[in-house]
């Protein structure tokens, strides 16, 4: 393994793209002395396009890699694997592993008798695991929960368009919400069930004013607090890349967000 900085029991946060940086920023605010690892596995993007077996293989590889850093905890900052495969993997390493899951029950409460749209990537909203999770969360109100493929919105974040073409992104978000309302006429709340979607919060608030937008991340952060270990508040940035998703492009996206973080490129062989 390359000569990375030595951290004290870091919390490792990962997914396949920019979405998980929101979790890193939230952890820094909540636990300023906690050492952190931010791992953007760009070479595995998108998680939402993978089969269940592909997700299992990717998660096994990544958890094994991050366990080498002796972390206090690992956060799988992606809804799709958290729902579909995490329960099969959380005992594979001797480290607490947390995920993010759509806050369906909370959304129903805030919808006040109206319907709820769970916005997520295709593999999440079409999975049997997500349907079962929604049914368990909603109980008798499950008919008011609609699982909506928001992959086109995720692409607006992953491509960087939300930073570089805000007018165009607003038009596409407006069209998405208009189409959603045409299919489901009484949506009273939405869950942002991809870690990319909170980056579009301001666009969605303009397209769907007055509707609560719930972020699954909040519950996961609450679970991490009790296992946190005080360090020096250092942050190690790691990234994989391939011919399509280059580390240099990802670095520019972070810089556009005002994030100053040197990224260490992880060779694919480390994860294999």
């Amino acid at each position: 393994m390359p000569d990375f900085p030595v951290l004290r029991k870091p919390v490792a946060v990962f997914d396949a793209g920019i979405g998980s940086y929101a979790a890193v920023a939230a952890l820094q605010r909540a636990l300023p002395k906690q050492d952190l690892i931010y791992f953007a596995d760009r070479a595995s993007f998108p998680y939402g396009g993978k089969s269940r077996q592909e997700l299992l293989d990717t998660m096994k590889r990544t958890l094994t890699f991050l366990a080498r850093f002796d972390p206090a905890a690992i956060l799988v900052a992606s809804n799709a694997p958290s729902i579909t495969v995490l329960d099969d993997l959380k005992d594979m390493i001797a480290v607490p592993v947390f995920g993010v899951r759509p806050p369906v029950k909370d959304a129903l409460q805030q919808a006040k008798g109206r319907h709820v749209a769970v916005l997520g990537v295709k593999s999440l909203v079409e999975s049997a695991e997500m349907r079962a999770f929604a049914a368990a969360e909603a109980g008798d109100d499950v008919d008011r929960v609609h699982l909506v493929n928001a992959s086109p919105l995720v692409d607006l974040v992953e491509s960087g368009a939300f930073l570089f073409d805000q007018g165009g992104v607003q038009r596409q978000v407006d069209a998405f919400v208009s189409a959603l309302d045409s299919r489901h006429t009484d949506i009273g709340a939405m869950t942002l069930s991809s870690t990319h979607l909170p980056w579009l919060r301001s666009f969605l608030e303009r397209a769907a004013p007055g509707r609560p937008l719930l972020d699954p991340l909040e519950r996961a952060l609450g679970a991490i607090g009790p296992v946190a270990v005080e360090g020096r508040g250092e942050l190690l940035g790691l990234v994989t890349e391939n011919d399509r998703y280059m580390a240099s492009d990802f670095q520019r996206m972070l810089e556009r967000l005002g994030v100053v973080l040197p990224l260490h490129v992880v060779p694919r062989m480390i994860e294999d």
Side-chain angles (χ1 to χ4, degrees), residues 37-157:
I37 295 172
Y38 170 42
F39 179 36
D41 188 10
R42 300 288 290 148
S44 296
F45 182 81
Y47 286 167
K50 295 186 183 302
S51 67
R52 189 176 193 281
Q53 187 59 52
E54 288 171 333
L55 271 179
L56 275 168
D57 293 342
T58 299
M59 293 299 108
K60 287 178 182 177
R61 187 173 62 236
T62 305
L63 292 173
T64 299
F65 168 59
L66 291 173
R68 302 179 194 180
F69 291 88
D70 189 28
I74 297 175
L75 175 60
V76 183
S78 177
N79 287 257
S82 294
I83 284 287
T84 59
V85 301
L86 188 55
D87 286 345
D88 294 341
L89 299 173
K90 62 172 56 177
D91 295 328
M92 69 169 285
I93 58 174
V95 175
V97 179
F98 302 97
V100 288
R101 294 177 169 87
V104 174
K105 188 178 298 183
D106 294 342
L108 283 166
Q109 291 175 349
Q110 294 197 33
K112 298 179 179 178
R114 301 175 67 192
H115 290 218
V116 165
V118 175
L119 307 185
V121 295
K122 186 174 186 288
S123 65
L124 172 70
V125 301
E126 293 184 356
S127 68
E129 292 88 351
M130 184 61 230
R131 290 193 297 273
F133 178 82
E137 286 276 293
D140 293 340
D141 294 322
V142 67
D143 289 342
R144 292 199 284 120
V145 178
H146 306 285
L147 309 181
V148 179
N149 180 13
S151 295
L153 297 186
V154 172
D155 291 341
L156 296 176
V157 176

Side-chain angles (χ1 to χ4, degrees), residues 174-204:
D174 289 347
F176 177 90
V177 172
S178 178
L180 172 63
D181 287 339
S182 295
R183 294 194 304 274
H184 308 292
T185 57
D186 194 27
I187 298 296
M190 293 184 277
T191 76
L192 306 180
S193 298
S194 162
T195 48
H196 293 75
L197 294 177
W199 294 108
L200 298 179
R201 178 179 288 274
S202 63
F203 299 95
L204 285 162

